[in-house]
Every structure is written in structure tokens, then in C-alpha cells.
Amino acid sequence: MNEYQHKIGPSAIEAELKALMLSSQDGNAAAHQRLLKRLSRHLRAYYKGKLGRVGRGAQEAEDLVQEAVLAIHIQRHTYDPEEPLTPWVHAIARYKLIDFLRRTRASVADVPIDEANEVTAHDDHLGVESSFDVGKLLSRLPEKMQCAIQAVKIDGLSVAEAALKCGISESGVKVGVHRGLKALAKLIAQGTKT
């Protein structure tokens, strides 16, 4: 736990993040951006810790951060304001981690997936600046890359299904998703106004 978290405590972090989410759901773009920036730091620390246990690197953790932040952005309308935010974020983070482990054939048993508050227990200060408008960000990528990311990461299609939909090879889909996520992360890190 860093000094900031030690001073304010886990319940204060939950309250702060939940307030940002509620403002975000009400259309406050600045609150949405702050929420995603804060969650990115927490998710980065969470994924680095989990993936480090199975010998995976920071780049893979960063890819998962981008996937989780994208999912949070897209699914924010599903968050129930009557419930705590941390378990909702944890469910998304956990799903992305398990999906990654399945894709890479790593053993889920090697990565303990604990309580929801573990997601906000740590904060990685390599913050991500962005406007997080997914549609506009995707529009800045080449068409085939957009299609691959939309199909696999947003629509949940398999690589084979995405290849058919996008008119490219399966390896083209994999490369497009990987490079596209890196390009999106770069755009977000630069704080590109879209």
C-alpha cells in the first residue's frame, strides 16, 4: 500500500472511485477520464503482481490494463450505483485475466485470483492520460486493425470468426489486435484529444 492509500484507507478509495463512476455515468467527461486514469494505475499494479507469479512481463500486464479499461469504458452503463464499485471492477479485471491465461495456455491455478479489494489495494503510478473515447480512438487506427479489435475485444468473437468477418488471416487478426492495442495505449498515454 502506498503512502496515499495508507493515509486515506480502502473505504475512502472505494468512495472516491465510486463518486467518479457516478459522475461519469451522469456524463461528466472529466470525471470519467479521472476514473479511468485512477483505475489504470490500480489495474496495472494488480496485473503486474498476478502475471509476475507466472513469469509474465510488464507488457502483457499493460495489454491487460488496456483491455480492462476498454471494457470498463464500454460497460460503465451496467454498473449499479447501489452496489460498491470495487467488486464490479474486480469482476472485469478477473475475467480479462482468466481470458488471457486461457489464450496463453498458462495455468489459472498458478495465479491466485483473490478478493475484489485486491484490485484497489495497490496503485501503479505510471498513470495513463486519455480522453478514452473508444470509437474515436479506434477510428485513428487502420481499418483492418479496427475490425480485428472490434471483433475480438469488443464483440467477443474468436480469432477465426474475426478473420472471416474482417477478411484477413487468423495471424493477421492476432497481429492486428496486438499492434492495435499498443497503438491505442500510445494514443491514450499521449492524452490525445479525439
Side-chain angles (χ1 to χ4, degrees):
M1 196 177 287
N2 67 32
E3 184 179 323
Y4 171 74
Q5 291 166 311
H6 182 70
K7 287 179 183 175
I8 69 168
S11 61
I13 293 169
E14 167 69 25
E16 179 184 355
L17 293 174
K18 183 173 182 174
L20 288 171
M21 174 57 99
L22 296 177
S23 292
S24 173
Q25 285 182 317
D26 287 338
N28 183 330
H32 186 60
Q33 186 174 14
R34 282 194 312 275
L35 172 70
L36 294 178
K37 181 179 178 181
R38 287 287 310 281
L39 288 176
S40 292
R41 294 189 328 232
H42 290 291
L43 290 165
R44 190 171 291 108
Y46 172 76
Y47 287 132
K48 281 181 179 178
K50 295 293 184 189
L51 293 178
R53 294 178 184 161
V54 291
R56 300 299 178 131
Q59 184 56 51
E60 290 165 312
E62 191 60 34
D63 287 349
L64 280 172
V65 169
Q66 299 310 317
E67 288 183 34
V69 166
L70 186 62
I72 289 165
H73 171 78
I74 292 168
Q75 296 298 320
R76 70 184 181 273
H77 70 280
T78 67
Y79 170 65
D80 180 355
E82 300 298 317
E83 300 295 327
L85 178 66
T86 302
W88 183 81
V89 171
H90 178 258
I92 292 171
R94 181 179 182 272
Y95 170 79
K96 293 298 179 184
L97 178 60
I98 291 170
D99 188 47
F100 169 80
L101 295 172
R102 283 185 188 135
R103 283 193 319 261
T104 60
R105 307 219 190 300
S107 172
V108 176
D110 293 338
V111 181
I113 300 172
D114 305 315
E115 299 176 21
N117 64 0
E118 186 179 355
V119 173
T120 56
H122 304 286
D123 188 339
D124 189 318
H125 292 287
L126 301 174
V128 176
E129 306 283 335
S130 78
S131 63
F132 289 102
D133 187 325
V134 177
K136 288 181 182 177
L137 285 172
L138 279 175
S139 72
R140 299 181 72 128
L141 299 178
E143 191 174 315
K144 301 260 185 201
M145 206 176 275
Q146 287 178 40
C147 184
I149 291 173
Q150 177 73 39
V152 174
K153 297 300 179 185
I154 298 173
D155 298 339
L157 299 179
S158 70
V159 171
E161 293 167 329
L164 288 173
K165 179 179 180 180
C166 299
I168 56 178
S169 68
E170 289 184 29
S171 62
V173 169
K174 292 175 186 176
V175 169
V177 168
H178 181 73
R179 289 182 181 165
L181 287 175
K182 280 187 171 185
L184 287 174
K186 185 176 180 182
L187 288 171
I188 290 168
Q190 292 171 347
T192 303
K193 300 297 180 210
T194 55

